Amino acid sequence: MTHRIATAIYDGLLAFEHSIAAEIFGWERPGLGVDWYQYKACRIEDGPLHSSHGMRFDPPGDLLDVERADTILIPGWRSPLEPPPTDFLDILVRAHGLGKRLVSICTGAFALAHAGLLDGRRSTTHWMHVPKLKKHFPRTLVDEDALYVHDGEISTSAGSAAGLDLSLAIVRQDFGIRVANTIARRMVAPVHREGGQSQYVEIGKAATEPNGFGKVLDTLLDRLDEELPVEQLACEFGYTLRTFQRRFREITGLSPHRWISQQRVVKARELLEQTDFSIEQVASRSGLGSAANLRKHLARHLATTPRAYRSAFRAEDRAGC
């Protein structure tokens, strides 16, 4: 069955956050060759509904459609400490009990928190609102320096634009890397940013430096199958070790080791989707070394195995992508 996504529409709607969800999930995409989402914007309260910018909304769906959805998406919430309507909170609790997916963008995390669904769970929200989330919902495990967080069937994102990263991550999870990358390219968006990257990445001088740091990253992406000790890389690119590590974190929000490890997993997923290489060859060409190491990384990051992943996202089964 087609996966149904319901987006909560409320008075004071954060229009940008809603637009992200509508752009990613709401367009029909017949050229992708997949059974795309059935998307519906749904009012969760009575009365006239306006965005925070004054635009009026008349969504076609209602709370019954929210109840029927497979994924409920909350694009922000108008006031972090104001509880959403009780009927909507009750639906969130029931949906969670049924194992449905709940997704929030920015301050939408507070709606989940008011429902008690973030108690004991990792979550994130816009950095400006992290102190409120920690203070008023102390049982929530707030990751204040993440773009987005998955904890079981509940996913939360940081400030507005991080909702785009989370939405693309959900598409990757549902349809694989190639489909998600196709949509990202159409939107002229970054094809992949890991949720663990910092909300506060500072570009600094990288863009203006001769042979700027972006070229370092491009070079590393071409050499993922090599041994890449950080000390050697720093020397090769003309940095001291401390400066190389500092600049790397400024640009990516991650340490060199963690960034390279994540990119190797991305490369392995692409090879599993798009080639006939054996599991051992995929592990070698992605830089993960051995089939056992590849299995360990996919189990940790995706809770799957190389063969199961390939079976789910095999390129030739995606005709038209």
Side-chain angles (χ1 to χ4, degrees):
M1 293 180 61
T2 302
H3 190 96
R4 296 163 296 186
I5 296 182
T7 296
I9 306 298
Y10 50 89
D11 192 43
L13 177 70
L14 302 187
F16 181 64
E17 285 81 347
H18 165 255
S19 296
I20 288 171
E23 178 72 20
I24 296 289
F25 304 113
W27 283 101
E28 293 185 9
R29 301 183 184 275
L32 292 177
V34 297
D35 188 11
W36 197 245
Y37 306 102
Q38 182 185 100
Y39 176 86
K40 183 172 283 189
C42 305
R43 67 164 54 242
I44 64 168
E45 56 189 351
D46 296 328
L49 303 180
H50 297 84
S51 76
S52 55
H53 301 92
M55 295 181 290
R56 180 160 183 170
F57 281 81
D58 186 17
D62 55 22
L63 283 171
L64 183 59
D65 294 297
V66 177
E67 183 106 49
R68 292 170 174 165
D70 304 298
T71 292
I72 300 172
L73 193 150
I74 309 168
W77 179 239
R78 61 181 169 235
S79 178
L81 302 186
E82 175 192 346
T86 301
D87 288 349
F88 178 62
L89 294 179
D90 290 343
I91 288 175
L92 291 178
V93 172
R94 288 196 295 272
H96 177 63
L98 293 171
K100 297 185 178 184
R101 183 163 58 193
L102 306 178
V103 179
S104 71
I105 299 176
C106 196
T107 51
F110 284 88
L112 295 171
H114 280 290
L117 296 175
L118 297 186
D119 291 355
R121 289 184 175 273
R122 292 181 59 242
S123 65
T124 194
T125 190
H126 192 294
W127 61 268
M128 290 178 62
H129 296 286
V130 162
K132 285 183 183 177
L133 190 58
K134 286 184 171 182
K135 177 180 178 181
H136 293 279
F137 301 96
R139 296 183 63 189
T140 298
L141 310 177
V142 184
D143 190 339
E144 60 188 85
D145 196 28
L147 288 177
Y148 55 88
V149 171
H150 299 297
D151 190 323
E153 295 303 309
I154 296 180
S155 298
T156 54
S157 83
S160 306
L164 175 58
D165 297 297
L166 173 56
S167 298
L168 289 170
I170 289 171
V171 173
R172 276 196 306 278
Q173 175 183 320
D174 292 346
F175 297 115
I177 287 176
R178 195 154 67 116
V179 172
N181 286 358
T182 297
I183 294 172
R185 285 193 296 271
R186 291 178 182 178
M187 296 182 66
V188 198
V191 295
H192 184 66
R193 291 205 296 173
E194 284 287 346
Q197 290 191 33
S198 173
Q199 295 187 35
Y200 325 100
V201 172
E202 297 178 3
I203 299 303
K205 300 179 181 178
T208 59
E209 288 180 350
N211 302 317
F213 210 88
K215 293 187 177 181
V216 174
L217 302 183
D218 289 341
T219 300
L220 294 181
L221 288 175
D222 290 334
R223 295 169 51 186
L224 291 174
D225 59 340
E226 301 178 17
E227 293 285 340
L228 298 172
V230 176
E231 295 83 358
Q232 176 183 316
L233 292 173
C235 181
E236 180 179 336
F237 291 112
Y239 293 92
T240 65
L241 177 59
R242 176 177 289 186
T243 299
F244 183 74
Q245 292 174 320
R246 175 176 57 81
R247 295 313 312 276
F248 213 100
R249 188 171 289 277
E250 286 176 351
I251 303 305
T252 70
L254 301 172
S255 69
H257 176 77
R258 187 174 177 190
W259 185 87
I260 290 169
S261 178
Q262 288 183 351
Q263 297 308 314
R264 283 172 168 160
V265 173
V266 171
K267 181 66 174 179
R269 292 170 66 181
E270 291 175 345
L271 292 173
L272 288 169
E273 290 184 25
Q274 301 174 25
T275 75
D276 294 319
F277 294 149
S278 69
I279 302 304
E280 291 75 14
Q281 287 174 315
V282 169
S284 175
R285 290 171 182 257
S286 64
L288 292 174
S290 67
N293 200 35
L294 172 59
R295 283 191 288 270
K296 181 182 75 173
H297 277 81
L298 286 190
R300 183 170 64 205
H301 290 280
L302 301 171
T304 190
T305 66
R307 285 187 172 81
Y309 185 87
R310 172 169 271 170
S311 177
F313 298 111
R314 186 67 179 164
E316 61 257 34
D317 295 333
R318 302 273 176 200
C321 282

